[in-house]
């Protein structure tokens, strides 16, 4: 079921699917509520008016510090990273035609981790250099997997299989790098590998916001072509889509979003895997559903981060622990569901 929205005069019209739109609104409301709880609760509790005054620069010194220095950068990073990972996963799952097609399963995340570990352990680089290393590692890994999987027009299933193999090799390499590192470097590397939002500042918020502002509109612009690619390259070509070019652009967007997100926070597992599938099951869109996936990713990551902050307070628990635990359970459920579906 869908509705058509037209501008006065009818010169511009937009078809909006009703169910995905309702789900998107509900997810946006949940996200706002979670953001409000995150900003107002904690060791230093605030009211909503206190937060609003701090946001516009009229709050007390303590409220301004708590909101604008401690909580808001972490919260916005969670929103943007969750959305970026979810959109990355949604694109990859559509391209591969496989619900396991996500950056953390295929190997892009492990590639980013390898780049970061090389900077931390071998080059003793700074946090900024570590982020750059993670970005380069993810992009190089993606290029390698793409060349191996799509030479000769291989199907999406091959992308998943080759990606899992590359991911396993990179995981072994990462473990080797840690075992050969000095104790302090190994501790720093292991801390980064868990995935955390605990040390975010406005520089990181601006970096991930810029990446999302550039990459997500590109992904949305190609959403219709992505829907056609789901029907096969031959069908997409018959409908006027340059399948090879569209696939390359979409894969670049997916990889860049995952690499930048990982560079900002370290590997945060299973958001890219679970968020698109949960959003698709709720919204049932006719296309890839990138908007609902982005909102679901933001909700999952902000909720997970809020949980680890409040449940384990005053202990510091990285959000990657929560997403890894939840994601592991989700992965088992997904595998059981897919097995039963194939048997049927």
């Amino acid at each position: 079921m869908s509705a058509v929205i037209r501008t006065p005069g009818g010169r511009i019209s937009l078809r909006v699917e009703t169910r995905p739109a309702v789900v998107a609104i509900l997810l946006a409301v949940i996200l706002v509520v979670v953001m409000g709880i995150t900003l107002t609760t904690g060791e230093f509790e605030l009211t909503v008016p206190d937060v609003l005054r701090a946001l516009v620069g009229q709050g007390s010194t303590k409220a301004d510090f708590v909101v604008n220095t401690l909580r808001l950068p972490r919260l916005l990073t969670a929103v943007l990273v969750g959305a970026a990972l979810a959109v990355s996963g949604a694109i990859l799952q559509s391209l591969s035609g496989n619900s396991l097609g996500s950056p953390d399963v295929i190997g892009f995340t492990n590639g980013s981790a390898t780049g970061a570990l090389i900077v931390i352990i071998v080059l003793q680089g700074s946090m900024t250099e570590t982020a750059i290393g993670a970005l380069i590692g993810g992009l190089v890994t993606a290029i390698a997997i793409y060349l191996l999987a799509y030479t000769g027009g291989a199907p999406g299933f091959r992308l998943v299989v080759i990606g899992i193999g590359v991911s396993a090799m990179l995981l072994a390499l990462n473990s080797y790098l840690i075992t050969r590192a000095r104790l302090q470097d190994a501790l720093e590397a292991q801390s980064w590998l868990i995935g955390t939002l605990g040390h975010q500042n406005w520089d990181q918020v601006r970096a991930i916001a810029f990446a999302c502002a550039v990459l997500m509109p590109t992904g949305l612009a190609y959403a219709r072509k992505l829907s056609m690619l789901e029907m096969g390259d031959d069908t997409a070509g018959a409908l006027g889509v340059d399948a090879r070019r569209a696939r390359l652009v979409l894969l670049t967007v997916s990889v860049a979003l995952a690499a930048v997100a990982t560079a900002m926070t370290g590997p945060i597992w299973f958001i890219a895997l679970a968020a698109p599938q949960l959003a698709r099951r709720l919204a049932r869109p006719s296309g890839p559903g990138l908007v609902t996936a982005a909102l679901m990713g933001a909700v999952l990551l902000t909720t997970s981060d809020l949980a680890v902050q409040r449940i384990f307070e005053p202990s510091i628990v990285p959000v990657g622990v929560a997403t890894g635990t939840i994601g592991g359970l989700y992965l088992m459920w997904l595998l059981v569901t897919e097995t039963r579906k194939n048997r049927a």
Side-chain angles (χ1 to χ4, degrees):
M1 185 175 179
S2 62
V4 178
I5 300 175
R6 292 186 176 90
T7 59
R11 297 186 63 182
I12 299 176
S13 61
L14 177 66
R15 186 175 67 88
V16 178
E17 295 179 87
T18 305
R19 185 182 177 109
V22 171
V23 171
I25 292 171
L26 289 175
L27 288 173
V29 171
I30 294 171
L31 180 60
V32 171
V33 171
V34 173
M35 292 175 71
I37 295 173
T38 300
L39 291 174
T40 55
T41 61
E43 186 176 347
F44 187 80
E45 293 192 0
L46 297 167
T47 64
V48 173
D50 289 336
V51 171
L52 294 176
R53 283 192 292 267
L55 291 176
V56 297
Q58 297 179 0
S60 66
T61 302
K62 286 185 178 179
D64 179 73
F65 177 75
V66 169
V67 173
N68 295 313
T69 302
L70 298 181
R71 293 179 183 172
L72 190 57
R74 177 173 182 153
L75 176 61
L76 292 179
T77 302
V79 171
L80 294 169
V81 167
L85 290 174
V87 171
S88 174
I91 291 173
L92 273 179
Q93 288 171 7
S94 283
L95 287 177
S96 63
N98 194 311
S99 54
L100 292 177
S102 74
D104 35 15
V105 174
I106 289 180
F108 300 160
T109 302
N110 277 335
S112 295
T114 302
L117 290 178
I118 290 174
V119 173
I120 294 171
I121 295 172
V122 179
L123 304 177
Q124 281 83 46
S126 65
M127 288 301 297
T128 301
E129 291 167 339
T130 300
I132 294 172
L135 181 60
I136 294 173
L139 294 175
V140 170
T141 302
I143 292 170
I145 293 174
Y146 178 84
L147 292 176
L148 289 170
Y150 283 103
T151 301
F157 177 75
R158 188 176 176 186
L159 175 70
V160 175
V161 173
I162 291 176
I164 290 174
V166 171
S167 180
M169 290 188 291
L170 289 172
L171 183 61
L173 176 59
N174 294 346
S175 299
Y176 172 77
L177 288 171
I178 291 177
T179 61
R180 304 301 297 175
R182 296 179 303 174
L183 178 59
Q184 185 59 40
D185 290 339
L187 291 174
E188 183 181 347
Q190 191 59 49
S191 175
W192 187 88
L193 283 174
I194 294 175
T196 181
L197 292 162
H199 306 290
Q200 306 306 310
N201 56 48
W202 285 106
D203 289 337
Q204 289 157 312
V205 174
R206 282 189 285 268
I208 186 65
F210 176 77
C212 289
V214 172
L215 295 168
M216 285 192 180
T218 304
L220 292 173
Y222 273 76
R224 186 168 178 270
K225 294 180 180 180
L226 181 58
S227 299
M228 295 179 184
L229 287 174
E230 290 179 348
M231 298 184 289
D233 287 3
D234 292 339
T235 302
L239 294 172
V241 176
D242 185 339
R244 183 178 292 273
R245 182 176 183 276
R247 193 181 295 276
L248 181 59
V249 170
L250 287 164
L251 188 61
T252 300
V253 169
S254 175
V255 172
L257 284 172
V260 171
T262 304
M264 295 299 105
T265 62
I268 294 181
W269 304 100
F270 293 112
I271 295 295
L273 174 69
Q277 287 297 310
L278 292 174
R280 186 179 285 264
R281 290 171 187 271
L282 285 174
R284 299 176 190 171
S286 58
L290 300 184
V291 174
T292 50
L295 289 168
M296 179 63 76
V299 168
L300 288 179
L301 190 52
T302 52
T303 304
S304 297
D305 190 46
L306 175 62
V308 297
Q309 288 185 73
R310 302 295 178 259
I311 294 175
F312 298 100
E313 194 175 27
S315 300
I316 300 175
V317 178
V319 69
V321 174
T323 60
T325 302
I326 297 171
L329 296 173
Y330 171 80
L331 181 59
M332 289 189 290
W333 173 82
L334 180 63
L335 291 173
V336 170
T337 301
E338 291 296 322
T339 300
R340 288 177 178 175
K341 186 186 299 183
N342 291 336
R343 286 178 179 174

